[in-house]
């Protein structure tokens, strides 16, 4: 939706267009990374006894909220998803409420998956749920921001060769990285190393966060590197 | 030579199993064991009649205090550190009434086996762990047990390993746990606080104290840390306290006391231990008693003795029989103060015990030099005694006595060393030969991947050219030469050398032949790839789906985790994690298939969006042919032709991976396993507690009913009836042995062994297996009818399910039910729909099989093997059936999934004929990769700290699974006859 091949026939201009888009994406990603770093650093000055390991749940909340804020602001400013035909206030409100519903559903879905993976069912429900919320923030919220409520688009993006813009590519990369990060983060939990970060869900949320950050950093680089090969199909 | 896929693979797997057996034989040397009969006490040899010394000599000491300091290295007492920080001990060693030695421990230098060595005098091997399955207590004849039976009162303070090894042996004890390595004051204070009180009292004979603090300091900061000094001073102070207290209690009319200071193992310069470097194996051993002569000088280099020598020495000192399996020899200086007759008597006792042990463990014991020396010494001992009893007191007698003494000492040395050769070392040569074959076979399989998974599923082994090459003959010659050199020069006993030379030459030919075959295969592949490159750029393998990536990453990742002891302990978590991820990936593929195919259908008409179509086309090309091939769906339709099902088919299919996930989650909470979390409460324990008998009965009954419903679908009528009766018999068997109850049964009923009921079930198992085999034979020999064949296979499968249901404990029956449910769901909804190829399905089966191995409560710890399965329907222990039954019960998960794989691949009519070949090849490869890697890892980690507790049990599990795999592959080949 950012490339208009019909209107801009000139390849040169298309490339410039792409570069500008990559730059704006990189800046959004930079703010996301910054918000994560700040969420780990700033609360230590404001709150007593705050540490990422010690008061992990607080950090989980703060991190989710700040990343969510950055994403929402970015989506409002840049408007990557096509604006719907009817743009009245009531529609906006329903869309917002629907998004919230989707987000909640995704939290519950992640929660279920995590429990199926072996997280305790009854104990530490709060930890599990907050971790699910963090994962949803990293994945679903971005989808909501970039793709809107169009589920067909979601399925399209997450299938092979489904990306149709660089935003789709970045979404693919960050989502996969966060989930793979969380997946890898679960490995050390059962081991007998007796480290403070082996407590559920610390290693998983760290894994997800590191994966997300890695995804945010690699996505613009990767897209920039492959910008010649990436020919997105128009809508 | 070309072999049909599964036949060649089976040969490889059989060879591999044999090689694994050779490796295991080398890794776990047979233990030196004495028969379980009461130790007899030999009469003193006397050439001129019968001596009146027929019983055990009386004790030499009234009390013994053993101070065992964990990780006390030899130089901590005798070296500069000892001089600086242990002034009292240095004084005692140098100028006091003491005897000091350097005691050499054997690898693995870890506390538990070392305590065993100190108390039994034997060198414990891993086989001991298997010998006393489930029981952490030391069951062998040992010093502590002997002392207890002799009525000695023993007090123990220190490491609670002792308390676990010797339960109920101590009249008073306080075990401290060595779990918190960072604590090095509290552990020792817990021991020391008892000393003042105990030393004042008179109501004990043996006091053992085991200090852990030094070991903890070593682990944390190493032997050169500033913490070592104060700790040594503390120990010195304690030793001084004990010694003075012992001295103060001594008087002329009672026997003296003995104080023994020893360490269990040393520590490296980094502070660890477990290996066999000098720093780790050299420990101090100091005997202090007022009867010993005062030392004049300290310059004499210390004598090196074995750690095992302590046990017989203490036994003699306390007037106890020497432990049956002891390899130790008496430390003579300790008894030097006694008369010549007594000394000779002690040595004779020790020699007699050693030679008896040798007799029972070595077929050619008469040829052993030590044994011959002992016999000579015994004879001269008899002559000496005759002279002595005749009243001869001349110089001649003394000299003769000294000569006999020396003869005895030489004999003991020889006996002890030839015995310890049998147990002490890994038999590296056998291990190497085994590893060489295993590695070569893995390479052969890896190199045949293109052919083995190709359309013909053949295993091509170029035999003619390598076998006539010069390299082959040279290698044969070289290996034979090495064999001769190793076998003639080695000091250790080597199992491979004891095999007949014909077998050895056969193995050498095999090794060099395989090597040449691999080389020629490699050459062929290089040539092929070059010619292909010339032809043009190949289509790269980037068309891998996410599932392929997951399967590959999972398999490789699992193999990599085998190198870490923590991961090996918790291996079940890896498998649970992998199958969960697999289910999610399957769910994603199903979603994508349903939604995207539908999308393109829908979107084509209204918007006609081109991009969408293109995007889908590339990915759904694989799936789209499912629609051009209606046969694959016809199976589902045949099963449920009702329109209702068709309507909901999509949703049922989409829900199926989630159902499997929920099943897995339930199974996971049924049996907590592993090490770290094994103590967590789980559903299985709740069920087996005696209050829940009604719930367990209900659950078993429901499970057995479910098993019937799930299995009977494809059986013939006769088998159905047999199955039903068999399942009923299982419930009767369980109620007969008191696990479950019938509703009408009174609670207090006699519990029998349920022999009749179990045999009743066995009859049906055999009956079903027989019908299945008959069908299979019929289909293979006469009719070639695939229907009969698949029914026969299914009957074999249901016979196995019935057997497993009989062997499983009742609380594990749900595992079997879930296994059947998951297999049914997978078969009906997922595999048929998504059209995976044989290799992918094999990997999935393998993963689920491994996960079910752990779901049924197994772990990589020997203690979780359910030995009771070996006694089902047997009056008493009969070796071969018991081993077979236990193996089937333990490996039920992998076995059932593998047989299901065969059933599935054969029943598929659409599958090409090579599917079974692919499956067999893939299965063999999947098993041979982990076992090869693991064997190499274990060989390189054989001095690791956890080699016994973690790696060896896992090796045993892997080794036995190699045999199970071989059996499965043989079955595959039998089925793959076309």
């Amino acid at each position: 939706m950012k490339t208009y091949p019909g209107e801009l026939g000139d390849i040169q201009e298309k490339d410039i267009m792409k570069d500008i888009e990559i730059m704006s994406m990189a800046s959004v990603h930079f703010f996301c990374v910054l918000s994560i770093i700040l969420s780990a650093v700033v609360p230590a000055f404001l709150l007593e006894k705050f540490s990422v390991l010690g008061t992990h749940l607080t950090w989980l909340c703060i991190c989710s909220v700040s990343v969510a804020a950055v994403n929402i602001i970015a989506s409002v400013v840049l408007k990557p998803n096509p604006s719907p035909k009817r743009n009245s206030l009531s529609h906006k409100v329903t869309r917002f409420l629907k998004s919230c519903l989707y987000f909640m559903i995704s939290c519950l879905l992640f929660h279920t998956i995590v429990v199926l993976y072996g997280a305790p069912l009854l104990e530490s429900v709060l930890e599990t749920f907050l971790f699910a919320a963090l994962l949803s923030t990293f994945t679903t919220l971005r989808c909501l921001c970039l793709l809107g409520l169009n589920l067909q688009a979601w399925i399209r993006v997450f299938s092979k060769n489904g990306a149709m813009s660089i935003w789709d590519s970045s979404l693919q990369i960050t989502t996969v990285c966060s989930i793979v990060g969380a997946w890898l983060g679960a490995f050390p939990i059962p081991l007998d190393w007796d480290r403070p970060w082996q407590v559920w869900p610390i290693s998983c949320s760290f894994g997800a966060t590191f994966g997300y950050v890695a995804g945010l950093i690699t996505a613009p680089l990767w897209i920039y590197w492959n910008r010649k090969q990436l020919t997105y199909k128009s809508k | 030579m070309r072999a049909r896929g599964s036949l060649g693979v089976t040969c490889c797997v059989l060879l591999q199993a044999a090689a694994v057996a050779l490796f295991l034989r080398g890794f776990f040397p047979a233990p030196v064991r004495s028969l379980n009969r009461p130790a007899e006490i030999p009469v003193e040899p006397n050439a001129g009649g019968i001596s009146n010394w027929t019983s055990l000599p009386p004790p030499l000491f009234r009390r013994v205090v053993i101070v065992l300091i964990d990780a006390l290295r030899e130089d901590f007492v005798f070296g500069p550190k000892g001089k600086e920080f242990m002034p009292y001990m240095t004084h005692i060693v140098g100028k006091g009434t003491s005897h000091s030695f350097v005691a050499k421990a054997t690898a693995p230098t870890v506390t538990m086996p070392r305590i065993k060595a100190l108390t039994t005098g034997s060198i414990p091997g891993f086989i001991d762990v298997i010998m006393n399955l489930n029981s952490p207590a030391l069951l062998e004849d040992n010093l502590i047990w002997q002392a207890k039976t002799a009525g000695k009162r023993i007090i123990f303070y220190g490491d609670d390993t002792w308390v676990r090894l010797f339960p109920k042996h101590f009249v008073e004890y306080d075990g401290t746990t060595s779990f918190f390595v960072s604590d090095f004051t509290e552990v020792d204070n817990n021991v020391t606080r008892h000393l003042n009180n105990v030393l004042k009292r008179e109501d004990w004979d043996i006091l053992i104290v085991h200090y852990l603090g030094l070991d903890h300091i070593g682990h944390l900061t190493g032997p050169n840390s500033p913490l070592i000094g104060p700790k040594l001073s503390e120990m010195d102070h304690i030793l001084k306290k004990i010694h003075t207290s012992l001295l103060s209690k001594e008087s002329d009319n009672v026997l003296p006391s003995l104080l023994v200071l020893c360490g269990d193992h040393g520590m490296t310069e980094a502070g660890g231990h477990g290996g066999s470097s000098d720093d780790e194996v050299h420990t101090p051993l100091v005997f202090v008693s007022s009867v010993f002569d005062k030392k004049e000088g300290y310059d004499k280099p210390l004598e090196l003795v074995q750690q095992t020598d302590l046990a017989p020495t203490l036994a003699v000192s306390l007037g106890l029989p020497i432990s049956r399996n002891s390899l130790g020899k008496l430390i003579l200086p300790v008894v030097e103060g006694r008369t010549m007759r007594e000394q000779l008597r002690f040595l004779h006792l020790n020699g007699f015990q050693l030679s008896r042990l040798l007799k029972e463990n070595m077929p050619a014991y008469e040829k052993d030099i030590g044994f011959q020396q002992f016999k000579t010494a015994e004879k001269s001992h008899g002559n000496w005694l005759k002279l002595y009893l005749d009243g001869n007191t001349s110089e001649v007698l003394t000299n003769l006595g000294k000569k006999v003494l020396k003869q005895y000492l030489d004999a003991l040395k020889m006996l002890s060393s030839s015995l310890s050769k049998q147990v002490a070392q890994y038999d590296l040569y056998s291990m190497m030969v085994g590893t060489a074959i295993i590695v070569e076979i893995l390479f052969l399989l890896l190199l045949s991947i293109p052919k083995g998974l190709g359309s013909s599923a053949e295993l091509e082994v170029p035999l003619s050219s390598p076998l006539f090459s010069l390299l082959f003959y040279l290698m044969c010659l070289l290996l034979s030469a090495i064999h001769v050199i190793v076998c003639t020069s080695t000091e250790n006993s080597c199992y491979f050398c004891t095999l007949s030379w014909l077998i050895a030459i056969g193995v050498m030919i095999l090794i060099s032949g395989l090597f040449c075959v691999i080389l020629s295969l490699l050459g062929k592949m290089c040539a092929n790839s070059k010619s292909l490159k010339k032809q043009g750029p190949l289509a790269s393998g980037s068309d891998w789906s996410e599932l392929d990536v997951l399967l590959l990453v999972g398999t490789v990742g699992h193999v990599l985790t085998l190198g870490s002891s923590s991961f090996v302990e918790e291996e079940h978590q890896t498998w649970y994690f992998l199958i969960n991820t697999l289910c999610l990936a399957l769910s994603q593929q199903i979603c994508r298939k349903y939604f995207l195919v539908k999308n393109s259908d829908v979107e084509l008409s209204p918007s006609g969006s081109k991009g969408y179509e293109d995007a889908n086309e590339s990915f759904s090309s694989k799936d789209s042919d499912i629609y051009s091939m209606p046969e694959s769906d016809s199976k589902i339709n045949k099963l449920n032709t009702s329109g209702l099902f068709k309507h909901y088919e999509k949703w049922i299919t989409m829900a199926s991976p989630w159902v499997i996930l929920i099943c897995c989650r339930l199974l996971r909470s049924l049996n907590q396993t592993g090490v770290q979390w094994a103590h967590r409460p789980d559903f299985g324990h709740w069920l087996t507690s005696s209050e829940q008998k009604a719930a367990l009965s209900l659950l078993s009954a429901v499970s057995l009913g479910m098993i019937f419903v799930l299995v009977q679908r494809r059986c013939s009528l006769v088998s159905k009836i047999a199955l039903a009766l068999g399942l009923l018999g299982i419930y009767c068997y369980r109620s007969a042995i008191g696990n479950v109850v019938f509703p009408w049964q009174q609670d207090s009923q006699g519990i029998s062994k349920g022999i009749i009921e179990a045999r009743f079930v066995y009859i049906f198992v055999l009956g079903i297996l027989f019908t299945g085999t008959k069908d299979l034979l019929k289909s293979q020999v006469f009719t070639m009818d695939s229907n009969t064949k698949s029914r026969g296979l299914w009957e074999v499968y249901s016979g196995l399910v019935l057997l497993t249901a009989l062997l499983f404990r009742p609380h594990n029956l749900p595992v079997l039910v879930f296994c059947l449910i998951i297999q049914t769901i997978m078969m009906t909804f997922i595999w048929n729909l998504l059209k995976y190829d044989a290799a992918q399905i094999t990997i999935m089966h393998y993963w689920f099989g491994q996960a079910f191995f752990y779901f049924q409560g197994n772990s990589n710890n020997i203690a979780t093997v359910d030995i009771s399965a070996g006694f089902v329907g047997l009056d008493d222990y009969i070796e071969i059936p018991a081993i077979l039954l236990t193996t089937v019960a333990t490996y039920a998960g992998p076995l059932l999934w593998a047989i299901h794989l065969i059933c599935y691949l054969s029943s598929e009519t659409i599958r090409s004929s090579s599917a079974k070949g692919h499956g067999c090849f893939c299965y063999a490869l999947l098993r041979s990769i982990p076992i090869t890697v693991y064997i190499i890892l274990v060989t390189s980690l054989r001095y690791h700290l956890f080699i016994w507790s973690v790696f060896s049990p896992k090796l045993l599990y892997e080794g036995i699974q190699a045999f199970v795999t071989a059996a499965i592959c043989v079955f595959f080949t039998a089925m793959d006859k076309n």
Side-chain angles (χ1 to χ4, degrees), chain B residues 766-793:
Chain B
L766 290 177
I768 296 173
L769 286 178
F770 176 75
T771 337
T773 323
K774 193 191 72 195
D775 278 349
L776 284 177
L777 281 178
K778 212 200 278 174
S779 75
Q780 306 246 318
V781 182
F782 303 115
T783 54
M784 303 296 268
D785 173 22
S786 67
N787 239 348
T788 325
K789 188 175 174 180
S790 102
R791 200 179 62 219
L793 264 173

Side-chain angles (χ1 to χ4, degrees), chain A residues 109 112-121 123 150 152-156 158-164 182-194 198 233-235, chain B residues 179 542-546 550 553 561 564 566-567 569-570 573-574 577-578 580-581 584 588 592 595-596 599 603 611-612 614-616 618-619 658 661-662 665 668 676-677 680:
Chain A
L109 188 71
T112 318
I113 290 175
V114 167
V115 168
L116 288 176
Y117 259 93
L121 181 65
E123 306 154 45
N150 183 0
Q152 302 290 353
W154 289 34
I155 293 167
R156 166 182 57 77
F158 291 108
S159 52
K160 224 175 199 178
N161 302 330
M164 293 204 299
W183 190 79
L184 288 175
F187 272 95
I189 294 178
L191 306 183
D192 56 351
W193 297 340
D194 291 326
Q198 274 181 291
K233 306 285 180 343
S234 63
K235 275 200 138 178
Chain B
F179 193 70
S542 62
D543 52 344
W544 284 34
S545 71
E546 288 93 336
L550 173 69
V553 166
T561 60
S564 149
S566 307
F567 274 107
E569 275 179 348
E570 307 290 327
Q573 304 275 12
T574 315
F577 207 67
L578 284 179
N580 276 342
T581 313
L584 286 181
Q588 182 244 16
R592 184 190 282 178
F595 282 115
L596 277 183
N599 282 347
E603 297 230 346
Y612 239 104
D614 283 357
N616 297 334
S618 58
F619 122 84
W658 297 92
L661 274 173
I662 292 168
R665 185 66 178 85
R668 180 199 270 258
Q676 184 86 326
W677 312 98
R680 284 269 191 108

Side-chain angles (χ1 to χ4, degrees), chain B residues 597-732:
Chain B
V597 171
K598 215 175 163 205
N599 282 347
S600 55
D601 287 349
V602 173
E603 297 230 346
L604 265 176
S605 42
S607 62
S609 86
K610 204 163 168 285
Y612 239 104
E613 225 183 335
D614 283 357
N616 297 334
E617 217 162 44
S618 58
F619 122 84
S620 61
S621 58
K622 203 171 170 184
D623 303 322
S624 61
D625 49 8
I626 197 166
Y627 281 81
S628 58
M629 254 186 164
E631 301 98 275
S632 62
D633 278 358
S634 69
K635 191 161 252 163
I636 305 167
N637 299 345
K638 236 185 275 167
L639 281 171
N640 281 295
T641 35
S642 64
L644 196 71
F645 175 81
K646 267 202 127 177
H647 185 247
Y648 291 117
E649 180 199 306
K650 182 169 126 184
W651 298 106
I652 293 175
T653 311
M654 286 207 346
S656 56
W658 297 92
V659 175
I660 296 171
L661 274 173
I662 292 168
C663 289
C664 293
R665 185 66 178 85
L666 289 176
L667 282 174
R668 180 199 270 258
S669 44
L670 182 66
N671 283 313
Q672 284 284 354
T673 183
V675 173
Q676 184 86 326
W677 312 98
H679 59 276
R680 284 269 191 108
D682 59 21
F683 200 54
H685 277 99
W686 182 80
L687 277 174
T688 41
S689 66
S690 53
E691 303 97 65
Q692 305 299 338
K693 223 173 197 177
L696 185 63
S697 308
L698 185 68
L699 188 73
S700 328
V702 171
S703 305
L704 291 173
M706 295 271 288
I707 290 171
F708 178 71
V709 172
L710 286 164
V711 171
Q712 50 89 27
R713 282 180 297 132
R714 298 203 190 172
C715 295
S716 59
L717 187 66
V718 182
S719 305
K720 263 181 204 173
I721 295 167
L723 187 71
L725 287 174
L727 290 170
L728 209 63
I730 291 171
Y731 196 83
C732 294

Side-chain angles (χ1 to χ4, degrees), chain A:
Chain A
M1 57 240 112
K2 281 285 159 183
T3 49
Y4 310 97
E7 296 160 30
L8 300 167
D10 195 358
I11 297 164
Q12 200 78 38
E13 247 171 284
K14 215 163 129 190
D15 275 354
I16 292 165
M17 201 58 205
K18 239 183 199 172
D19 282 351
I20 292 169
E21 226 172 341
I22 291 172
M23 277 310 289
S24 72
M25 187 175 72
S27 54
V28 171
H29 285 189
F30 170 74
F31 280 114
C32 282
V33 175
L34 196 69
S35 75
I36 289 174
I37 295 169
L38 288 180
S39 76
V41 177
V42 171
F45 301 109
L46 304 174
L47 297 169
E48 263 180 75
K49 290 186 209 160
F50 176 87
S51 72
V52 176
L53 280 182
T55 53
H56 189 70
L57 295 185
T58 325
W59 175 76
L60 274 181
C61 295
I62 295 170
C63 184
S64 310
V65 169
S66 55
V67 171
V70 170
N71 271 312
I72 290 168
I73 292 167
S75 77
V76 168
V77 172
L78 293 173
K79 284 200 183 66
N81 55 327
S83 49
K85 287 142 205 161
R86 286 165 296 178
N87 212 353
S88 66
L89 184 70
S90 67
H91 271 102
K92 268 187 181 166
V93 170
T94 29
R95 265 161 50 79
F96 178 73
L97 288 178
K98 255 190 171 174
S99 303
C100 287
L101 184 72
Y102 276 34
F103 185 75
M104 279 314 288
I105 290 173
S106 112
C107 284
L108 288 177
L109 188 71
F110 273 120
H111 189 108
T112 318
I113 290 175
V114 167
V115 168
L116 288 176
Y117 259 93
L121 181 65
L122 300 174
E123 306 154 45
S124 54
V125 176
L126 187 66
E127 281 90 339
T128 312
F129 187 77
L130 283 179
F131 171 62
L134 184 82
L135 262 184
S136 301
T137 320
F138 289 161
T139 55
T140 319
L141 192 79
R142 265 182 78 82
C143 291
L144 283 171
C145 290
L146 292 174
L147 302 174
L149 296 168
N150 183 0
L151 277 184
Q152 302 290 353
W154 289 34
I155 293 167
R156 166 182 57 77
V157 168
F158 291 108
S159 52
K160 224 175 199 178
N161 302 330
M164 293 204 299
S165 72
I166 59 166
W167 291 98
D168 289 359
S169 300
S170 92
L171 194 59
Q172 280 178 346
I173 293 171
T174 50
T175 308
V176 168
C177 282
S178 336
I179 287 175
V180 168
W183 190 79
L184 288 175
F187 272 95
I189 294 178
L191 306 183
D192 56 351
W193 297 340
D194 291 326
R195 296 298 143 95
W197 48 262
Q198 274 181 291
V199 180
W200 169 251
I202 298 181
S203 64
C204 275
S205 51
F206 276 10
T209 314
F210 285 131
Y212 183 58
V213 170
L216 288 176
I217 294 169
T218 44
L221 295 176
W222 187 81
I223 291 168
Y224 184 74
W225 200 256
N226 293 306
R227 66 189 183 284
K228 291 273 153 24
Q229 283 84 8
L230 289 173
T231 47
Y232 293 109
K233 306 285 180 343
S234 63
K235 275 200 138 178

Side-chain angles (χ1 to χ4, degrees), chain B residues 350-368:
Chain B
N350 194 191
F352 183 82
Q353 174 261 331
L354 283 177
S355 60
R356 205 182 62 164
L357 193 60
L358 189 79
K359 236 187 235 176
E360 283 166 4
N361 285 290
M362 204 184 266
Y365 66 93
E366 276 167 336
K367 282 182 203 152
D368 189 82

